[in-house]
């Protein structure tokens, strides 16, 4: 068939050499996936079972990332989402019905709590917030209609490390599934499935991406029935991942080991330095005794990552805390974490019910890959700034 140049723009006969091999996974961009014939066309979402049908359900780029996260977490199935918060909402929307009840730790990542208190409430799903240190005592909060026990360990900002095996045992005794937000450990430093967790999720945005330039999430399970509920829900929710972001995350994975190990030692050195400062009441780093649940971290985790908090001595005004944060030169002010740049934020924690009485004195750090000495010098000079204030 002869083609005009306009048709050649869409249906080209140009040829390139075959056989190129690269170390990098190609970025397959695509909404449409081609079928050999109309009778072969269908829109089944499970690309592992039926092959490729539609870009929303997976491309070789996104499925490779999913498979690699699954391998690292020792799961059976991983579904990618466009962000960590979307992984949280997918789990709830896929697995809950009107009339169900969930348990959420009071230390949970705030948008997780907000989902429960807004959208889930509107859909007739009730939530009880529990003390993250409750352990086996969670049994008393499990109701007839409780379906999910959410865990996040360590908790956001206040860093409580949870007794996951005790929570799992209590939940499973009453047929409740356990979900863990395992972002802090990059899905690696805590082997969630070995500790009995049923569903893990991560914000790949953090350590897997590792450079603060993408948003992705993952949900991983062992159970076939859970996978089918999650996959079917994701199809109709239509939350697609960007193949470009997946490609960046695949690149991020290759340096995860060296980044995590450098960040771990730097964060620990900085946490210990802060613990020795008279201005600081408490350092909330899971590897330090001062962190609630330190004993569970020691028992269950393979190491620590680079996010931790500290609490100024009582009496320091919020204004002075803000002055300290703003005086930092290397630590930048911003949300999210897990990248190579150190970050800082202070919080007024008592505005959230059920949180410890640290009020406005709590500051969270994300330690990046700058020199530890320079980061300590930065903290030192910012502490000196507030010391000089009346
Ligand atoms: C513990 C935790 N889980 C989930 C999320 C949400 O991830 P994302 O920003 O990719 O939506 C965050 C983000 O800060 C987080 O800190």
């Amino acid at each position: 068939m002869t083609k005009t140049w306009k048709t050649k723009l869409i249906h080209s006969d140009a040829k390139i050499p075959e056989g190129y091999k690269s170390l990098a996974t190609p970025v397959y961009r695509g909404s449409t996936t081609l079928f050999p014939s109309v009778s072969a066309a269908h829109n089944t979402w499970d690309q592992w079972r039926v092959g490729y049908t539609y870009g929303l359900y997976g491309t070789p780029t996104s499925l490779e990332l999913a498979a690699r996260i699954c391998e690292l977490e020792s799961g059976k199935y991983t579904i990618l989402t466009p962000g960590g918060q979307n992984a949280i909402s997918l789990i709830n929307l896929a697995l809950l019905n009107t009339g169900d009840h969930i348990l959420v730790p009071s230390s949970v990542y705030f948008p997780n709590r907000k989902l429960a208190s807004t959208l889930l409430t509107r859909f007739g799903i009730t939530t009880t917030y529990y003390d993250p240190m409750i352990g086996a005592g969670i049994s008393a909060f499990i109701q007839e209609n409780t379906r999910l026990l959410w865990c996040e360990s360590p908790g956001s900002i206040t860093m409580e490390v949870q007794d996951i095996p005790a929570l799992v045992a209590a939940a499973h005794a009453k047929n409740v599934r356990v979900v863990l937000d395992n972002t802090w450990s990059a899905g690696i430093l805590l082997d969630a499935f070995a500790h009995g967790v049923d569903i893990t999720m991560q914000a790949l945005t953090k350590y897997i991406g590792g450079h603060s330039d993408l948003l992705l999430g993952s949900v991983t399970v062992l159970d076939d029935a859970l996978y089918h509920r999650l996959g079917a829900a994701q199809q109709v929710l239509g939350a697609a991942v960007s193949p470009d972001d997946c490609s960046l995350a695949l690149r991020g994975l290759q340096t995860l080991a060296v980044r995590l190990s450098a960040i771990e030692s730097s964060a620990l050195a900085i946490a210990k330095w802060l613990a020795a400062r008279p201005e600081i009441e408490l350092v909330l780093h899971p590897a330090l005794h001062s962190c609630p649940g330190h004993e569970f971290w020691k028992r269950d985790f393979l190491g620590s990552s680079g996010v931790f908090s500290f609490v100024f001595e009582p009496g320091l005004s919020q204004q002075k805390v803000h002055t300290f944060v703003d005086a930092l030169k290397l630590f930048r002010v911003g949300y999210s974490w897990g990248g190579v740049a150190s970050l800082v934020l202070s919080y007024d924690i008592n505005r959230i019910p059920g949180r410890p009485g640290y009020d406005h004195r709590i500051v969270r750090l994300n330690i990046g890959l700058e020199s530890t000495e320079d980061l300590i010098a930065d903290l030192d000079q910012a502490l000196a700034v507030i010391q000089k204030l009346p």
Side-chain angles (χ1 to χ4, degrees):
M1 177 182 179
T2 53
K3 297 175 192 168
T4 65
W5 69 270
K6 282 188 185 170
T7 297
K8 282 183 181 171
L9 292 175
I10 317 297
H11 300 275
S12 171
D13 294 320
K15 296 271 179 283
I16 55 164
E18 290 184 358
Y20 178 73
K21 285 199 168 84
S22 163
L23 285 168
T25 303
V27 179
Y28 287 95
R29 295 194 188 88
S31 49
T32 297
T33 302
L34 297 176
F35 296 97
S37 65
V38 64
S39 57
H42 62 102
N43 74 342
T44 309
W45 63 265
D46 189 353
Q47 315 287 272
W48 295 102
R49 194 168 57 81
V50 300
Y52 295 99
T53 63
Y54 190 49
L56 174 64
Y57 316 141
T59 65
T61 316
S62 61
L63 292 196
E64 178 169 337
L65 178 61
R68 296 188 58 171
I69 297 297
C70 199
E71 179 183 41
L72 287 170
E73 291 199 26
S74 306
K76 187 165 173 199
Y77 305 103
T78 294
I79 292 175
L80 297 182
T81 59
Q85 178 61 19
N86 189 246
I88 293 167
S89 58
L90 173 66
I91 292 166
N92 283 329
L93 295 178
L95 304 181
L96 300 174
N97 293 315
T98 300
D100 286 348
H101 169 254
I102 59 172
L103 288 161
V104 173
S106 55
S107 54
V108 84
Y109 172 59
F110 190 74
N112 185 331
R113 172 189 278 259
K114 199 166 177 185
L115 172 67
S117 65
T118 56
L119 211 69
L120 296 189
T121 304
R122 270 178 35 214
F123 293 167
I125 295 157
T126 51
T127 304
T128 301
Y129 299 97
Y130 69 90
D131 174 354
M133 304 312 297
I134 199 162
I138 195 69
S139 239
F141 293 86
I142 298 178
Q143 305 174 179
E144 197 70 7
N145 58 341
T146 306
R147 299 284 170 261
L148 290 179
L149 167 61
W150 271 92
C151 300
E152 185 185 314
S153 186
S156 282
I157 308 162
T158 42
M159 303 301 293
E160 298 88 346
V161 184
Q162 298 196 268
D163 187 349
I164 297 290
L167 291 161
V168 164
H172 285 178
K174 296 190 176 175
N175 283 326
V176 173
R177 306 258 199 195
V178 180
V179 194
L180 174 69
D181 185 332
N182 207 14
T183 305
W184 188 82
S185 88
I188 287 168
L189 302 175
L190 176 69
D191 185 345
F193 294 118
H195 288 86
V197 167
D198 300 293
I199 304 157
T200 68
M201 52 80 32
Q202 271 195 76
L204 305 180
T205 308
K206 318 298 180 199
Y207 286 116
I208 307 298
H211 296 77
S212 313
D213 54 4
L214 63 87
L215 284 145
L216 277 173
S218 65
V219 181
T220 301
V221 292
L222 291 172
D223 181 78
D224 291 18
L226 282 176
Y227 170 61
H228 288 109
R229 286 278 293 262
L230 289 159
Q234 199 200 25
Q235 177 179 38
V236 293
L237 289 170
V241 297
S242 147
D244 294 280
D245 286 351
C246 291
S247 159
L248 286 173
L250 283 165
R251 186 166 69 175
L253 274 179
Q254 298 174 50
T255 56
L256 181 63
V258 282
R259 283 188 284 111
L260 271 185
S261 119
I263 284 170
E264 175 175 36
S265 49
S266 191
L268 256 176
I270 293 166
K272 286 178 182 161
W273 181 85
L274 284 165
R277 291 290 303 212
E279 305 92 334
I280 311 296
E281 181 187 42
L282 201 56
V283 177
L284 302 168
H285 185 300
L288 300 191
H289 286 282
S290 46
C291 189
H294 163 71
E295 64 277 24
F296 306 130
W297 173 82
K298 221 167 144 182
R299 185 190 64 192
D300 300 337
F301 283 69
L302 302 172
S304 55
S305 61
V307 174
F308 69 94
S309 300
F310 64 88
V311 183
F312 277 107
E313 282 287 348
L316 196 81
S317 70
Q318 187 163 32
Q319 184 56 49
K320 281 191 181 167
V321 175
H322 286 184
T323 304
F324 165 80
V325 169
D326 290 340
L328 289 164
K329 293 183 167 62
L330 297 178
F331 287 88
R332 317 284 284 278
V333 177
Y335 289 112
S336 206
W337 44 275
V340 298
S342 291
L343 298 172
V344 60
L345 264 179
S346 66
Y347 296 85
D348 195 351
I349 208 71
N350 292 109
R351 289 166 56 191
I352 305 167
R355 295 212 119 172
Y358 306 141
D359 49 67
H360 59 262
R361 297 175 289 124
I362 188 163
V363 175
R364 183 174 77 170
L365 300 179
N366 169 65
I367 304 303
L369 289 179
E370 303 91 340
S371 118
T372 310
E373 294 69 37
D374 291 349
L375 292 176
I376 287 177
D378 194 24
L379 291 163
D380 196 31
Q381 66 79 23
L383 287 172
V385 169
I386 55 169
Q387 267 162 10
K388 284 189 205 111
L389 295 176

